[in-house]
Amino acid sequence: MKLAYWMYAGPAHIGTLRVASSFKNVHAIMHAPLGDDYFNVMRSMLERERDFTPVTASIVDRHVLARGSQEKVVDNITRKDKEERPDLIVLTPTCTSSILQEDLQNFVDRASTTSNSDVILADVNHYRVNELQAADRTLEQVVRYYLEKACRQGTLDQSLTKEPSANIIGIFTLGFHNQHDCRELKRLLQDLNIKVNKVIPEGGSVKDLQSLPKAWFNLVPYREIGLMTAIYLEKNFGMPYVSITPMGIVDTAECVRQIQKHVNNLVLNKKVDYEPYIDQQTRFVSQAAWFSRSIDCQNLTGKKAVVFGDATHAASITRILVREMGIRVSCTGTYCKHDTEWFKEQVQGFCDEILITDDHTEVGDMIARIEPSAIFGTQMERHIGKRLDIPCGVISSPVHIQNFPLGYRPFLGYEGTNQIADLIYNSFTLGMEDHLLEIFGGHDTKEVITKSLSTDTDLTWNYESQLELKKIPGFVRGKIKRNTEKFARQNNITTITVEIMYAAKEALSA
Amino acid sequence: MSNKISEILTFECETGNYHTFCPISCVAWLYQKIEDSFFLVVGTKTCGYFLQNALGVMIFAEPRYAMAELEEGDISAQLNDYKELKRLCLQIKKDRNPSVIIWIGTCTTEIIKMDLEGMAPKLENELGIPIVVARANGLDYAFTQGEDTVLAAMAHRCPEQNTLVDNKKVIQQDSTIQDFFSFLSLEKKDETTNNSSIKSKKHPPLVLFGSLPSTVASQLSSELKRQSVQVSGWLPTQRYTDLPSLGDQVYVCGVNPFLSRTATTLMRRRKCKLIGAPFPIGPDGTRAWIEKICSVFNIKTKDLEQREQQIWENLKDYLDLIRGKSVFFMGDNLLEISLARFLIRCGMIVYEIGIPYLDKRYQAAELLFLQNTCKNMGIPMPRIVEKPDNYNQIQRMRELQPDLAITGMAHANPLEARGINTKWSVEFTFAQIHGFTNARDVLELVTRPLRRNNNLENLGWNDLTKKEKQIKFN
């Protein structure tokens, strides 16, 4: 048993449901007790979905406990088949069904003889994998199912498209800024004259999965989901894949170069050269390269930051901070414990220390110890930041509803670099403001030191000190005044001179 | 009485394929209510993820609840349950030092038959902290019934009544002291005068059960005090250490419709006398509730009718807004019967009352009240659907096109996109809806989507689904 207050990644079935409900016309049936269908709430609330989430439960209650599900699951599958006519029904086990050890595969076999839909059992073990691993696995399972089916039926068309084309694999519901990223990736591919063959699972139809092999290569933007599918497609259909996340200027360029390599491997007559495109985008379309040279960004040099999130985002943001903006990353970490090796390799040399944990208190303690100027993390780190009074930019799931913005906010591609630059810059206290605050000892916090707001009743400021006070910029003047008076009271001084002001400032900064 | 009701009212029962919150969600409000408690939910990641998502930001305020997350070793009994729980509870004792630890059993502990009830007394002895076990699992219960299981378990921990007599003496002594200082404040003077009037009337002790925010609890107490009824205690109390005394002289009355197990426990195990009344939701419900309590104690109510009338007067602006409008309860928190009864009295038409579970005996007075309200308002009885089927309900809603659907969050946005106004039912669980004072709050919630509509109505984008998708739902 583990004492837990909060978790970064959800249980396995959430991953399966996210993949299933991302496809068009796929219905998931959970084998679960009443109340486990809160996935519908999450999707309906966070993504502000207009449609009913295609997830229902085959309820496990006392009777099921006593006698087994018997006909219930099969009935629920066939009922859903009649009501909704989905292409595919995914029977989803939960923690409950994994201990009940009912033969769910048997239900699936029986149901698929009577229903028009395809029926599969999601192959995930609640106690072995988390949400992200389960999502990766389920996507691969669905793709494999349909490709093997097409192979058997002899309908698989493996001929490549005439023009270079790509599949984008791993965009799905409740993913961090996934919708925006998808649009940005499509734009990037379009700029490179590459057609988008299929995007899966978001908005994809399982009927179209058999045309996946027609693409020239696969693009897997995120580390967490899609990789298994890409590896399956490479192994069985010889499809190459690009798994470099195009986040940040350097990595986007690297991703484009990889794409170029794969395209040139297949193109016969005219080799493509994307270097001019990369150069043009980097220097003039994306503002991030210019921004990192601008004097604004200079103020960030050497500032301490902490990064925490899923493997993809934490690794990419760490490298952007260090390589592209000159910020010092004191610690970077991820909760994707299953991907520790990869993560360490990615951030090697970019940070002082690496933290791999899924315990948010460890992350909190680390942040408190390091006291960075800014945090880049999940919603949990944002709350840690609030308690420690350190600004935080949210860069990764788990997220709240405000991380599903209506406006266009990709993290990937060249527009993504702009968004990230804004996010990073705005998270740190603005340069000039910061400078002034340092000189004048902090914001005017309206700290109450006497009962009345005006504090000049028992203290007199001599003429010189009043003049000096007036020279201080308005927004910190009150603070300076209060600090000085506090200092004076502590030292039983009744008349404040310029010297006292300086002494107060020294005492404060000491 | 229950038979008589069933004859007139018709109850349907569907498949139970409906959306509701897991009963473990009760820790969200109970840990706030019982200030010296710690709730330990013994379950899996699924339970934990539900709590963290359903309860949103509350998780960040260092809550006094946590998961004892079961791992593979616990499920396969490679680890010893008792040792594991002891280790966690010791840590909780060290970090928080609560006056009580409440173990919430979940589906998983049921399935693997973890003997929480057996382990608790042993560990309680070793630890020196009371451990209360409540099986609030999704196999047996829905949403608010979680509170019912916790309060039922807690009812066993209330002290016996004879100690109550001693307490009374102490209180009387206190009140004589108070008399000395009563000139200090008007409020105290009020209390003491009331006390003396009670002494003259003398009714048996009354304990109310149901967790309410402390302001609402004191509003209800003072409402009764106006009628010279003294509330001698609440289950639960603000602190676990102050639980009320129970015994065969004690009368008990519920404030919420979902507390049937607690009621049963109080009657059967603690020998209390249950006052079956409608629930104090809405001014009509509050009046009926008070009247019933007073009638049991042979007290004649005074100015109650005027008080109710006054509240209705104050609600006039809201009533104008909802009169004649129709409402459909999908059902998920067991407050449905009482809310429907109140809304019918407000002049609304209720098409359907979905409800997860209906205890016809515990809710008998409320059901009768509903029936009378329908008769008085001259509208047909709504259909009451137990264990509803959300899919079928949505079909019915499509035909009926209600002006308002009271529904869970899973369906709210999709229904709104189809032009049906919704109010999240969960809000009724967390808002203050009891007593005369809060009647306005209920209508504030009910009318919010309608008021929103008054602003947006003429913009012409009420249906926001793509045509092809309109066939699809659930």
Side-chain angles (χ1 to χ4, degrees):
Chain A
M1 273 179 219
K2 202 170 86 181
L3 196 63
Y5 295 89
W6 203 79
M7 63 187 85
Y8 283 101
H13 71 270
I14 297 284
T16 298
L17 297 181
R18 282 175 66 185
V19 168
S21 59
S22 295
F23 279 113
K24 252 193 309 204
N25 217 21
V26 171
H27 200 98
I29 295 182
M30 300 163 70
H31 188 241
L34 196 66
D36 270 3
D37 58 352
Y38 59 84
F39 173 75
N40 298 32
V41 176
M42 288 169 61
R43 187 153 181 274
S44 165
M45 297 307 289
L46 295 177
E47 290 257 42
R48 299 182 195 87
E49 254 307 319
R50 297 169 196 223
D51 288 310
F52 292 99
T53 302
V55 173
T56 42
S58 175
I59 305 277
V60 175
D61 55 15
R62 272 290 149 190
H63 298 295
V64 172
L65 220 55
R67 305 173 298 138
S69 289
Q70 297 189 341
E71 298 304 312
K72 202 172 184 180
V73 178
V74 178
D75 286 348
N76 277 318
I77 294 174
T78 43
R79 178 187 163 186
K80 206 37 81 181
D81 173 55
K82 290 208 179 65
E83 284 169 357
E84 311 253 335
R85 311 218 152 273
D87 299 327
L88 170 69
I89 293 175
V90 181
L91 183 60
T92 310
T94 59
C95 60
T96 311
S97 54
S98 32
I99 10 177
L100 281 176
Q101 296 193 320
E102 284 197 82
D103 190 357
L104 295 181
Q105 186 59 52
N106 175 37
F107 297 150
V108 165
D109 294 342
R110 274 163 57 201
S112 48
T113 57
T114 51
S115 58
N116 292 316
S117 329
D118 298 313
V119 189
I120 62 172
L121 172 66
D123 172 31
V124 289
N125 180 331
H126 180 90
Y127 294 94
R128 301 269 165 89
V129 294
N130 68 16
E131 174 183 357
L132 300 170
Q133 292 164 290
D136 200 12
R137 198 178 283 255
T138 304
L139 182 60
E140 194 249 13
Q141 195 190 351
V142 173
V143 168
R144 181 193 291 265
Y145 178 85
Y146 279 98
L147 287 179
E148 282 176 0
K149 189 178 172 189
C151 276
R152 274 199 312 277
Q153 294 174 340
T155 52
L156 193 67
D157 180 7
Q158 282 200 60
S159 62
L160 293 184
T161 54
K162 274 202 206 107
E163 304 294 317
S165 64
N167 298 318
I168 302 174
I169 301 178
I171 307 288
F172 71 151
T173 189
L174 292 170
F176 184 71
H177 293 239
N178 273 14
Q179 309 291 350
H180 311 293
D181 284 349
C182 183
R183 211 168 115 193
E184 187 62 22
L185 287 177
K186 282 180 182 168
R187 201 167 82 173
L188 180 74
L189 291 173
Q190 193 187 6
D191 285 353
L192 301 174
N193 274 324
I194 295 170
K195 292 248 164 1
V196 175
N197 185 46
K198 290 280 168 271
V199 178
I200 57 166
E202 184 62 52
S205 162
V206 287
K207 284 183 180 155
D208 297 341
L209 287 177
Q210 53 177 306
S211 57
L212 280 178
K214 292 178 79 68
W216 290 29
F217 67 97
N218 292 316
L219 179 57
V220 185
Y222 309 112
R223 177 77 190 163
E224 285 75 21
I225 169 179
L227 214 52
M228 273 181 82
T229 309
I231 290 168
Y232 164 77
L233 290 170
E234 184 187 43
K235 207 171 138 202
N236 289 276
F237 301 92
M239 294 180 75
Y241 65 89
V242 178
S243 64
I244 292 173
T245 304
M247 199 186 304
I249 299 168
V250 181
D251 281 348
T252 303
E254 201 45 50
C255 179
V256 172
R257 284 188 194 109
Q258 284 275 328
I259 292 172
Q260 173 181 311
K261 199 183 85 191
H262 292 313
V263 171
N264 282 340
N265 272 344
L266 289 169
V267 84
L268 296 172
N269 37 19
K270 214 174 72 197
K271 301 281 176 203
V272 292
D273 179 15
Y274 295 144
E275 286 303 331
Y277 172 78
I278 294 172
D279 183 63
Q280 174 75 13
Q281 291 285 324
T282 304
R283 291 198 295 141
F284 304 109
V285 176
S286 161
Q287 300 296 314
W290 155 237
F291 174 73
S292 58
R293 287 223 52 101
S294 73
I295 49 168
D296 268 347
C297 203
Q298 246 179 47
N299 285 327
L300 301 184
T301 309
K303 288 225 168 184
K304 275 198 292 188
V306 161
V307 183
F308 197 83
D310 63 21
T312 305
H313 288 86
S316 296
I317 294 290
T318 302
R319 292 203 299 239
I320 292 169
L321 287 169
V322 176
R323 195 161 54 179
E324 297 175 20
M325 300 183 95
I327 291 160
R328 177 164 161 212
V329 175
S330 302
C331 180
T332 186
T334 180
Y335 55 85
C336 296
K337 283 161 98 171
H338 60 276
D339 217 4
T340 307
E341 289 311 306
W342 179 86
F343 184 77
K344 282 186 173 163
E345 193 188 302
Q346 293 295 305
V347 298
Q348 202 57 255
F350 288 101
C351 59
D352 301 344
E353 52 180 300
I354 298 171
L355 179 65
I356 311 285
T357 181
D358 53 7
D359 179 354
H360 72 273
T361 52
E362 255 184 76
V363 180
D365 291 346
M366 175 269 289
I367 293 171
R369 171 170 55 83
I370 290 174
E371 285 193 76
S373 309
I375 309 166
F376 298 95
T378 70
Q379 277 295 336
M380 187 37 115
E381 282 68 47
R382 195 173 72 84
H383 284 270
I384 294 169
K386 266 189 180 170
R387 283 168 59 183
L388 298 170
D389 204 15
I390 300 171
C392 176
V394 175
I395 54 133
S396 157
S397 299
V399 285
H400 284 173
I401 194 154
Q402 68 259 42
N403 302 110
F404 291 90
L406 303 174
Y408 188 49
R409 301 252 193 290
F411 269 61
L412 302 185
Y414 286 107
E415 177 55 26
T417 62
N418 293 337
Q419 297 291 338
I420 292 171
D422 276 344
L423 179 77
I424 292 173
Y425 185 66
N426 293 338
S427 297
F428 286 99
T429 321
L430 298 180
M432 202 55 191
E433 184 187 347
D434 189 26
H435 193 56
L436 285 169
L437 288 174
E438 218 165 79
I439 294 172
F440 297 113
H443 269 296
D444 183 1
T445 50
K446 298 261 186 313
E447 186 187 356
V448 182
I449 46 168
T450 58
K451 283 260 168 70
S452 65
L453 252 182
S454 63
T455 53
D456 49 5
T457 42
D458 54 336
L459 290 168
T460 39
W461 290 67
N462 72 4
Y463 181 68
E464 286 81 0
S465 65
Q466 279 180 25
L467 276 185
E468 186 68 19
L469 192 64
K470 278 185 190 138
K471 285 185 212 155
I472 294 165
F475 68 95
V476 286
R477 194 180 297 145
K479 173 91 177 179
I480 301 295
K481 191 173 176 219
R482 262 174 259 277
N483 281 345
T484 310
E485 292 188 354
K486 204 167 160 188
F487 173 81
R489 281 204 182 81
Q490 278 162 3
N491 294 285
N492 295 320
I493 296 161
T494 49
T495 312
I496 291 168
T497 61
V498 178
E499 283 77 10
I500 301 293
M501 284 178 76
Y502 294 155
K505 185 174 184 302
E506 280 159 25
L508 205 74
S509 50
Chain B
M1 183 151 55
S2 63
N3 279 339
K4 216 164 63 192
I5 289 167
S6 339
E7 274 167 31
I8 310 156
L9 298 179
T10 50
F11 301 98
E12 288 168 52
C13 188
E14 281 191 305
T15 60
N17 274 321
Y18 63 100
H19 164 79
T20 182
F21 274 177
C22 174
I24 59 171
S25 52
C26 68
V27 306
W29 63 88
L30 286 177
Y31 92 84
Q32 291 181 346
K33 173 72 190 175
I34 310 168
E35 286 167 357
D36 51 354
S37 64
F38 191 98
F39 284 80
L40 185 67
V41 183
V42 188
T44 59
K45 255 187 185 318
T46 307
C47 314
Y49 206 57
F50 164 69
L51 283 177
Q52 110 180 22
N53 280 296
L55 310 182
V57 286
M58 271 189 260
I59 205 87
F60 300 108
E62 296 237 336
R64 290 185 318 281
Y65 71 79
M67 292 292 307
E69 195 184 309
L70 299 169
E71 289 163 305
E72 205 165 10
D74 299 298
I75 303 300
S76 55
Q78 283 167 335
L79 296 166
N80 182 307
D81 299 338
Y82 184 77
K83 280 186 190 156
E84 290 293 300
L85 279 169
K86 186 179 167 185
R87 183 171 56 83
L88 300 193
C89 287
L90 274 171
Q91 198 183 334
I92 291 164
K93 186 186 176 185
K94 197 182 105 222
D95 296 348
R96 307 292 176 98
N97 197 29
S99 311
V100 59
I101 296 177
I102 294 138
W103 287 351
I104 303 287
T106 61
C107 305
T108 313
T109 58
E110 289 295 314
I111 296 169
I112 63 173
K113 300 197 166 48
M114 192 183 276
D115 183 19
L116 294 175
E117 276 95 346
M119 286 188 279
K122 265 195 270 174
L123 196 54
E124 189 170 310
N125 276 335
E126 279 194 62
L127 220 62
I129 296 180
I131 294 173
V132 174
V133 180
R135 301 177 173 197
N137 61 68
L139 293 168
D140 301 305
Y141 305 110
F143 197 13
T144 48
Q145 287 180 292
E147 176 181 323
D148 194 21
T149 63
V150 173
L151 296 190
M154 223 166 242
H156 291 283
R157 301 303 182 110
C158 295
E160 260 310 314
Q161 196 187 358
N162 50 5
T163 50
L164 179 97
V165 180
D166 297 341
N167 278 347
K168 268 244 153 140
K169 272 182 200 155
V170 176
I171 289 166
Q172 273 172 7
Q173 277 169 359
D174 269 358
S175 65
T176 48
I177 297 166
Q178 253 179 25
D179 280 336
F180 279 112
F181 296 102
S182 57
F183 62 89
L184 284 176
S185 80
L186 276 171
E187 209 181 276
K188 271 190 181 157
K189 203 172 196 169
D190 237 34
E191 258 171 43
T192 40
T193 44
N194 263 341
N195 273 346
S196 52
S197 68
I198 287 151
K199 265 176 234 155
S200 60
K201 291 247 167 102
K202 242 192 199 162
H203 62 79
L206 170 69
V207 169
L208 300 180
F209 57 95
S211 165
L212 292 178
S214 57
T215 48
V216 182
S218 59
Q219 279 162 8
L220 285 183
S221 296
S222 71
E223 224 46 88
L224 286 171
K225 203 184 262 176
R226 280 170 181 237
Q227 307 298 336
S228 315
V229 175
Q230 184 75 19
V231 177
S232 56
W234 281 82
L235 176 70
T237 32
Q238 207 70 19
R239 300 186 65 78
Y240 174 78
T241 43
D242 299 341
L243 282 178
S245 311
L246 299 174
D248 57 2
Q249 299 300 312
V250 178
Y251 281 78
V252 291
C253 187
V255 297
N256 267 323
F258 45 77
L259 298 170
S260 60
R261 276 177 70 91
T262 310
T264 314
T265 310
L266 290 170
M267 281 192 298
R268 296 211 183 131
R269 307 297 297 275
R270 304 306 305 265
K271 308 292 174 210
C272 302
K273 298 185 178 75
L274 179 71
I275 301 175
F279 300 100
I281 292 168
D284 49 340
T286 309
R287 179 182 157 196
W289 182 73
I290 296 171
E291 273 174 350
K292 185 65 196 277
I293 293 172
C294 287
S295 76
V296 169
F297 293 146
N298 274 323
I299 293 168
K300 219 176 143 236
T301 58
K302 52 173 193 270
D303 304 333
L304 197 58
E305 237 182 288
Q306 292 91 307
R307 177 127 173 85
E308 189 200 351
Q309 208 46 52
Q310 186 57 48
I311 300 292
W312 285 116
E313 296 282 316
N314 296 345
L315 297 177
K316 204 176 163 302
D317 50 340
Y318 280 156
L319 296 180
D320 291 342
L321 214 56
I322 55 173
R323 193 168 297 119
K325 296 257 163 60
S326 56
V327 57
F328 190 110
F329 285 87
M330 285 188 80
D332 76 342
N333 60 10
L334 284 89
L335 294 171
E336 291 88 2
I337 302 276
S338 311
L339 285 172
R341 177 261 303 151
F342 171 44
L343 293 183
I344 289 169
R345 177 64 183 76
C346 289
M348 292 186 92
I349 299 151
V350 177
Y351 285 147
E352 175 167 330
I353 308 175
I355 185 166
Y357 166 74
L358 183 60
D359 185 330
K360 293 186 193 101
R361 275 184 307 173
Y362 178 62
Q363 294 226 40
E366 183 65 82
L367 285 167
L368 196 68
F369 196 27
L370 168 72
Q371 200 191 324
N372 290 336
T373 306
C374 285
K375 218 183 283 167
N376 293 340
M377 299 301 291
I379 67 156
M381 273 295 293
R383 59 196 284 173
I384 298 174
V385 181
E386 240 185 306
K387 298 175 100 194
D389 185 296
N390 282 165
Y391 182 88
N392 297 343
Q393 284 185 315
I394 288 162
Q395 304 282 16
R396 294 199 284 271
M397 233 186 278
R398 176 161 306 146
E399 268 173 38
L400 295 165
Q401 290 291 322
D403 294 309
L404 180 70
I406 295 182
T407 172
M409 288 195 271
H411 297 117
N413 268 340
L415 286 173
E416 287 281 356
R418 280 153 188 79
I420 293 181
N421 303 310
T422 59
K423 186 75 234 139
W424 309 336
S425 50
V426 183
E427 285 194 65
F428 292 101
T429 321
F430 293 111
Q432 311 193 339
I433 60 169
H434 293 77
F436 287 128
T437 325
N438 299 310
R440 209 176 161 78
D441 290 43
V442 183
L443 292 190
E444 166 74 24
L445 289 177
V446 171
T447 56
R448 194 173 295 157
L450 304 170
R451 282 178 286 135
R452 190 252 344 246
N453 280 3
N454 288 349
N455 300 331
L456 303 183
E457 207 159 31
N458 300 321
L459 294 173
W461 55 60
N462 290 336
D463 187 337
L464 291 159
T465 46
K466 289 180 187 157
K467 277 288 169 266
E468 50 160 32
K469 281 187 177 172
Q470 264 190 305
I471 333 157
K472 312 275 325 161
F473 48 82
N474 206 355

